[in-house]
Amino acid sequence: MFYTDGKLQYPVRVEKPDPVFARALQQAIGGVEGEIRVAMQYMFQAFGARGPVKYRDMLLNTATEELGHIEMLATAVALNLENAPLSLQEEISADAVGGGVLNGMDFRHLLSTGLAALPADANGVPFCASHVYASGNIAADMYANVTAEASGRVLAVRLYNMTNDPGMKDMLSFLIARDTMHQQQWLAAIEELGGAAALPIPDSFPQEQENRDFSYVYLGHRTDGTIPEGRWSSGPSMDGRSEFTGQVSKPLGDEPSLAPARPDSGAQTGQVSKSGMGGLLGQVEGAIERRL
């Protein structure tokens, strides 16, 4: 169950409404770096979490906090829209650059929501859950969460630098601070799960069953044969089980050879060889007979 007391997690105030900034804030709501994404990511990671209950509880707590962040940002969008004077829009329109931005605004803020936020990004694209990662492996999910918070913090910093409104800067400074904490907590969970020693993920798969010849080799694919030297190409591996090496990649397989196109596949005649047609027709006929 989820509960709310109707209050914002942190104060949201706007001293000078700015409809253009309202559009920018939409990215923090429904963009790939936004709060809907992380709220859903942590929520579904929690729903599928197996093992120690503390990880599920931690994820659910943070997911619930992110729902509160969505509420804060939606309130900020509404406040930036509801009292924006027409004279401000005219002033921005008079400027070539600012007018280009204003004229590209998502007018659904006016036409569809009545001066309210949308579950969409800054271009009006509805939120898509394709960037919600919940693998069922706690360690893998924690690394994905660090990345999500890092990109979210980058976005919040950019928004902070876009506005001169004291209220918006105050709200964003809070969200930036929470991104800092969330990065730290996911890293702490990774450390508790074994850190680098728990790599590779999943550590439950026996490494002797993978092709160990390629487990710690950095492959270079430049035609001049050079390899970018770094921590990844020499020295001990991060899990301490081997040494990094670098080598120029060479083809180990032959050119692929595919069977001719099926005669009933809609391919051009030249793609269907006569030599292969009989065998393919036999396969098709055999499959039909088996189904019948």
Side-chain angles (χ1 to χ4, degrees), residues 267-281:
Q268 292 300 96
T269 303
Q271 294 176 261
V272 183
S273 70
K274 292 182 179 180
S275 60
M277 188 178 295
L280 288 169
L281 283 172

Side-chain angles (χ1 to χ4, degrees), residues 165-177:
D165 187 276
M168 288 293 89
K169 281 189 175 293
D170 182 49
M171 179 195 74
L172 289 165
S173 70
F174 172 79
L175 294 176
I176 291 168

Side-chain angles (χ1 to χ4, degrees), residues 104-119:
M105 285 179 60
D106 188 342
F107 283 102
R108 290 181 301 168
H109 277 160
L110 290 170
L111 304 175
S112 300
T113 66
L115 305 180
L118 290 156

